[in-house]
Amino acid sequence: MHTDLAEKRARLVAAADLERLKLGLAWHDVRTAIAPPADASRRARVRPYVMRAVGLALPILGYRRMGRTLRTAAAALSIWRAMNAWREFSRR
C-alpha cells in the first residue's frame, strides 16, 4: 500500500511538472506573438523620454500611485499589442 501511494504521488508530481512546462511554452508563444520586434535604435530614442516622464511624475504621484499607474499602462499596452497581433493574424 505504501509503495502504491508513493508511485501515485510520483506520477502526480510528474504530471504537474509536465503541465507546468506546457504552460511555460504556451506563455512563451503568447509573448512572441504579442511582443514587438526588437529595435535597438527605437529603444535608444524612446527610453530617455520615458525615464524623464517617470522621473517627473514620481514626486507628484508618489511611489504607490505611480506603480499602480505604470502597471495599468503596461496592462493596457499588452492588450493593445495583443489586439494588433490578432488583427495581423486574422488578415492572413
Side-chain angles (χ1 to χ4, degrees):
M1 179 169 161
H2 182 66
T3 58
D4 292 339
L5 193 58
E7 287 176 14
K8 186 176 181 179
R9 182 173 184 230
R11 274 185 292 206
L12 286 173
V13 168
D17 287 342
L18 181 62
E19 289 300 318
R20 192 176 302 120
L21 288 172
K22 285 180 182 178
L23 186 61
L25 285 173
W27 176 250
H28 177 71
D29 290 344
V30 167
R31 265 185 84 192
T32 56
I34 293 174
D39 184 8
S41 64
R42 181 179 182 276
R43 187 179 305 148
R45 287 189 321 260
V46 172
R47 183 182 168 139
Y49 296 112
V50 171
M51 295 302 292
R52 189 174 301 138
V54 169
L56 290 173
L58 190 59
I60 295 169
L61 295 177
Y63 285 103
R64 283 188 181 195
R65 210 174 299 154
M66 187 65 186
R68 222 175 312 148
T69 303
L70 289 175
R71 280 192 298 277
T72 304
L77 185 60
S78 295
I79 292 169
W80 181 72
R81 286 179 180 168
M83 290 174 59
N84 283 340
W86 181 258
R87 279 190 218 129
E88 289 296 322
F89 178 75
S90 62
R91 286 182 188 165
R92 290 187 217 173

